[in-house]
């Protein structure tokens, strides 16, 4: 549900000539600092490479002006950048925290190149409950007043997987102390009425007719929009919902549907 809502933001951003990029944190891949920001920026490089030669020259000038002679550090993780700024000289090697600090600072400067009035930047970070500490730190740095001009960071997380002392919640508290421009939208499960509308629209029939099926879907998916759509897709794939082309409507045997759902289980449908 949360990802689908944010993806709807994509269309108006593109219409307004903004850049929309995204990255998704992985529960089992938190040992690579800032990897999700790198993932999102590689997406941005792909968008830039579709622009004209003249525009790419402008970007080259702006990027080199921001990161100076340290371009090779960024190229090592975002190889597409070399196509825009060309080969870069080697940089002195650092180790440990010094290398991490340098990389974080450069990545911040690199991101700020693309936050302009003509082309605002929107970064969508999904599954923030699994974010690494370096990414949370960079997010906090990017949200201070001087850095956040023409930048919008949208983060999504599962609130049932965090607690008051969770690193994400502590980071959000810190961001609130430096800026008032942070908003929270909580997505609740869909109501029974919403599910009635969804099933009726999906099967293009009256809500009264689909009540038994809608009731079953609601009971099994508990209003979760993802589970709901997966359940309906599963019923169709198993041919438990069929379209009668002669009569022009969908039909199902609710008893068969109920037995199948109970035998399979909602969890199996989303694995």
């Amino acid at each position: 549900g949360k990802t689908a809502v944010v993806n709807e933001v994509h269309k108006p951003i593109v219409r307004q000539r903004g850049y929309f990029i995204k990255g998704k944190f992985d529960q089992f891949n938190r040992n690579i600092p800032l990897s999700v920001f790198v993932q999102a920026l590689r997406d941005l490089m792909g968008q830039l490479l579709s622009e004209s030669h003249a525009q790419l020259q402008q970007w080259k000038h702006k990027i080199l002006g921001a990161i100076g002679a340290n371009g090779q550090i960024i190229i090592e993780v975002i190889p597409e950048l070399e196509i825009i700024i060309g080969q870069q000289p080697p940089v002195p090697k650092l180790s440990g925290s010094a290398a991490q600090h340098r990389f974080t600072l450069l990545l911040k400067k690199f991101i700020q190149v693309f936050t302009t009035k003509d082309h605002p930047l929107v970064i969508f970070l999904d599954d923030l409950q699994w974010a690494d500490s370096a990414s949370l730190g960079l997010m906090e740095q990017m949200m201070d007043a001087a850095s956040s001009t023409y930048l919008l960071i949208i983060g999504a997380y599962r609130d049932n997987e965090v607690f008051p002392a969770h690193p994400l919640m502590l980071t959000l508290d810190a961001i609130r102390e430096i800026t008032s421009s942070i908003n929270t939208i909580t997505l609740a499960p869909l109501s029974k009425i919403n599910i009635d509308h969804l099933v009726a629209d999906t099967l293009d029939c009256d809500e009264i007719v689909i009540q038994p099926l809608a009731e079953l879907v609601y009971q099994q998916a508990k209003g979760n929009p993802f589970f709901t759509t997966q359940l309906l897709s599963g019923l169709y794939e198993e041919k438990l919902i069929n379209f009668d082309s002669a009569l022009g409507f969908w039909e199902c045997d609710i008893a068969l549907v109920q037995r199948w759902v109970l035998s399979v289980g909602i969890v199996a449908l989303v694995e």
Side-chain angles (χ1 to χ4, degrees), residues 12 14 21 40 62 64 77 80 83 101 106 127 133 142-143 155 162 174 181 184 192 194 209 232 234 245 256 260 262:
V14 172
I21 59 177
K62 292 177 181 179
L64 291 177
V77 294
E80 297 86 351
I83 302 174
H101 177 73
L106 282 173
D127 282 332
S133 59
M142 294 299 301
M143 292 311 297
V162 297
S181 56
T184 301
K192 175 60 169 57
N194 295 146
V209 176
L232 290 173
S245 55
L256 286 177
W260 180 79
L262 292 176

Side-chain angles (χ1 to χ4, degrees), residues 41-55:
L41 290 168
R42 293 192 69 176
D43 177 18
L44 178 57
M45 293 304 100
Q47 296 181 44
L48 295 186
L49 288 171
S50 67
E51 298 182 357
S52 68
H53 177 72
Q55 289 173 310

Side-chain angles (χ1 to χ4, degrees), residues 218-229:
Y218 181 71
Q219 289 176 356
Q220 294 299 314
K222 307 299 183 185
N224 182 298
F226 177 66
F227 290 173
T228 298
T229 55

Side-chain angles (χ1 to χ4, degrees), residues 211-214 216 240 252-259:
Q211 269 303 308
L213 178 60
L216 178 63
L240 294 169
C252 73
D253 184 326
I254 194 65
L256 286 177
V257 168
Q258 188 167 23
R259 283 200 295 271

Side-chain angles (χ1 to χ4, degrees), residues 2 28 61 83-84 98 102 129 177:
K2 54 184 175 56
F28 304 106
H61 176 74
I83 302 174
I84 299 174
R102 180 176 66 178
Q129 73 275 6
E177 292 181 2

Side-chain angles (χ1 to χ4, degrees), residues 137-237:
L138 177 58
M139 186 172 71
E140 181 179 340
Q141 292 179 41
M142 294 299 301
M143 292 311 297
D144 68 70
S147 302
S148 59
T149 306
Y150 305 114
L151 169 68
L152 173 64
I153 295 180
I154 303 175
Y157 64 94
R158 300 174 187 172
D159 57 6
N160 63 329
E161 296 190 22
V162 297
F163 45 90
H166 189 282
L168 171 61
M169 306 313 290
L170 296 177
T171 299
L172 294 178
D173 289 341
I175 292 174
R176 289 188 182 95
E177 292 181 2
I178 59 177
T179 178
S180 59
S181 56
I182 180 170
N183 300 286
T184 301
I185 301 173
T186 302
L187 295 181
L190 298 176
S191 67
K192 175 60 169 57
I193 294 175
N194 295 146
I195 298 298
D196 289 347
H197 292 332
L198 175 61
V199 177
D201 288 345
T202 301
L203 302 181
D204 192 24
C205 60
D206 190 272
E207 290 182 21
I208 296 177
V209 176
I210 54 85
Q211 269 303 308
L213 178 60
E215 180 68 33
L216 178 63
V217 169
Y218 181 71
Q219 289 176 356
Q220 294 299 314
K222 307 299 183 185
N224 182 298
F226 177 66
F227 290 173
T228 298
T229 55
Q230 289 295 105
L231 177 54
L232 290 173
S233 296
L235 292 173
Y236 175 73
E237 291 169 2

